[in-house]
């Protein structure tokens, strides 16, 4: 059996690649020989560190500043990538934010910012990239959802709504793009040790771990492995799925 992933030489675009799950994905893709471009929004220094680390290890990587909530900026950045590289083979919609609070305490901005980034941002980037994939009759789109998308979570109504939307978006896009030989899948992480989950882990460490069958938090690499699998040729016959990477997370 050939265990080559088929990813070497392909072009990947990852949103939010300067830290956390995005960074782990960028590094894994580059290690497998992909030409990786990632978007970052604020952390220019962190982004440069990722680029330097990947290049030092012999990989190909470029960072671009682009806020995924800005449709025009996203279109420009994607056009720039396609002009220079000719194609985008794999898109990972990874960038996301949380603004946790009980419903009555949520400010308008907490609701809007989460839906704007986690949902509208994914629309912006997918629309910009999909048209190039359609013209090539080939592509992989992998969206980062969350366990919150179907299991809920106290103080996470805005985030849960955004990730539930991503699960639904994934299935609709899988239907729409299947005839163009593009697969669309989701990875739904549980609680992963990144900056995003730091506050919730500090607040409720024991309670959260009691709900995880494996009794530990996940690592960014655990999620990156699942993203890599869905991008690889081993997932050729998988589309419209939500792959949970959560150590067996349960409600009670
Ligand atoms: P993180 O906060 O460590 O990293 C998110 C990255 O997205 C950051 O680099 C940030 O700058 C970038 N980003 C945010 N808004 C952006 C915007 N408008 N434009 C461009 N970039 C933007 O988060 P993470 O833990 O690595 O999470 C990655 C993804 O996985 C997110 O979609 C998140 O919702 C999801 N997820 C994370 C967990 C977890 O426990 N960490 C659990 C479930 C799902």
């Amino acid at each position: 059996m050939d265990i080559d992933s088929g990813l070497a030489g392909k072009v990947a675009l990852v949103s939010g690649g300067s830290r956390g799950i995005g960074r782990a994905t960028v590094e894994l893709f580059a290690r497998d020989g992909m030409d990786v471009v990632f978007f970052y929004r604020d952390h220019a220094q962190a982004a440069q560190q990722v680029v330097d680390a990947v290049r030092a290890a012999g990989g190909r990587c470029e960072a671009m500043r682009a806020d995924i909530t800005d449709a025009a900026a996203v279109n420009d950045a994607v056009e720039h990538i396609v002009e220079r590289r000719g194609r985008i083979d794999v898109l990972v919609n990874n960038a996301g934010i949380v603004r946790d609070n009980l419903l009555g305490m949520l400010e308008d901005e907490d609701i809007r910012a989460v839906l704007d980034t986690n949902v509208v941002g994914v629309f912006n980037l997918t629309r910009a990239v999909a048209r190039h994939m359609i013209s090539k009759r080939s592509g992989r789109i992998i969206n980062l959802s969350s366990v919150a998308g179907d299991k809920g979570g106290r103080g996470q109504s805005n985030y849960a709504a955004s990730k539930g939307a991503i699960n639904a978006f994934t299935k609709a896009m899988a239907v729409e793009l299947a005839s163009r030989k593009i697969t669309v899948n989701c990875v739904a992480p549980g609680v992963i040790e990144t900056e995003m989950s730091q506050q919730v882990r500090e607040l409720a460490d024991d309670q959260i771990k009691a709900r995880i069958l494996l009794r530990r938090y996940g690592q960014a690499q655990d999620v990156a492995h699942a993203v890599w699998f869905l991008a690889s040729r081993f997932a050729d016959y998988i589309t419209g799925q939500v792959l949970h990477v959560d150590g067996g997370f349960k409600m009670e």
Side-chain angles (χ1 to χ4, degrees):
M1 179 189 154
D2 183 359
I3 56 162
D4 179 348
S5 70
L7 292 175
K10 291 198 166 161
V11 178
L13 173 57
V14 179
S15 64
S18 64
R19 68 182 205 190
I21 293 166
R23 175 177 184 157
T25 302
V26 166
E27 291 179 339
L28 184 57
F29 278 174
R31 254 189 16 237
D32 200 20
M34 296 189 88
D35 182 2
V36 191
V37 183
F38 71 86
F39 287 172
Y40 69 96
R41 187 188 47 178
D42 306 316
H43 312 290
Q45 211 181 342
Q48 191 54 48
Q49 280 169 8
V50 176
V51 172
D52 292 344
V54 168
R55 289 183 182 163
R60 277 182 291 173
C61 182
E62 184 188 349
M64 293 176 77
R65 187 190 284 275
D67 182 336
I68 59 166
T69 65
D70 180 343
V74 165
N75 283 336
D76 287 351
V78 167
E79 290 313 305
H80 181 77
I81 296 166
V82 174
E83 265 166 35
R84 292 179 54 189
R85 292 174 169 78
R87 57 193 298 137
I88 294 171
D89 300 294
V90 175
L91 168 65
V92 183
N93 278 305
N94 165 77
I97 60 168
V98 280
R99 295 270 195 283
D100 289 356
N101 220 330
L102 299 176
L103 182 69
M105 313 281 279
L106 284 174
E107 304 283 348
D108 290 352
E109 174 57 17
D110 298 326
I111 301 169
R112 281 209 194 95
V114 167
L115 293 173
D116 248 19
T117 305
N118 297 4
V119 183
V120 179
V122 172
F123 270 85
N124 289 340
L125 188 48
T126 306
R127 185 177 54 186
V129 172
R131 61 170 173 262
H132 295 289
M133 290 181 169
I134 288 169
S135 74
K136 300 280 183 196
R137 295 288 189 274
S138 142
R140 292 289 162 93
I141 300 172
I142 299 135
N143 301 320
L144 268 293
S145 165
S146 168
V147 68
D150 62 2
K151 290 186 174 148
R154 192 177 156 78
Q156 289 208 305
S157 56
N158 50 355
Y159 184 72
S162 75
K163 295 302 188 179
I166 290 308
N167 289 345
F169 174 76
T170 298
K171 289 169 194 178
M173 290 311 303
V175 172
E176 208 170 299
L177 295 174
S179 64
R180 315 301 169 95
K181 299 190 167 38
I182 299 164
T183 66
V184 189
N185 291 289
C186 250
V187 174
V191 183
I192 310 300
E193 270 187 67
T194 68
E195 285 173 63
M196 174 180 277
S197 66
Q198 192 174 348
Q199 200 183 2
V200 74
R201 283 185 284 112
E202 280 169 9
L203 279 173
D205 184 52
D206 287 349
Q207 282 160 273
I208 299 171
K209 282 198 182 133
R211 289 167 67 178
I212 303 170
L213 290 179
L214 297 181
R215 297 286 183 264
R216 66 168 178 88
Y217 299 125
Q219 299 301 311
Q221 288 76 11
D222 292 323
V223 183
H225 290 149
V227 174
W228 172 87
F229 164 68
L230 290 170
S232 78
R233 69 176 181 79
F234 305 122
D236 275 354
Y237 199 52
I238 299 175
T239 196
Q241 301 303 306
V242 180
L243 175 54
H244 293 259
V245 181
D246 60 10
F249 195 89
K250 54 196 172 76
M251 277 301 282
E252 296 300 337

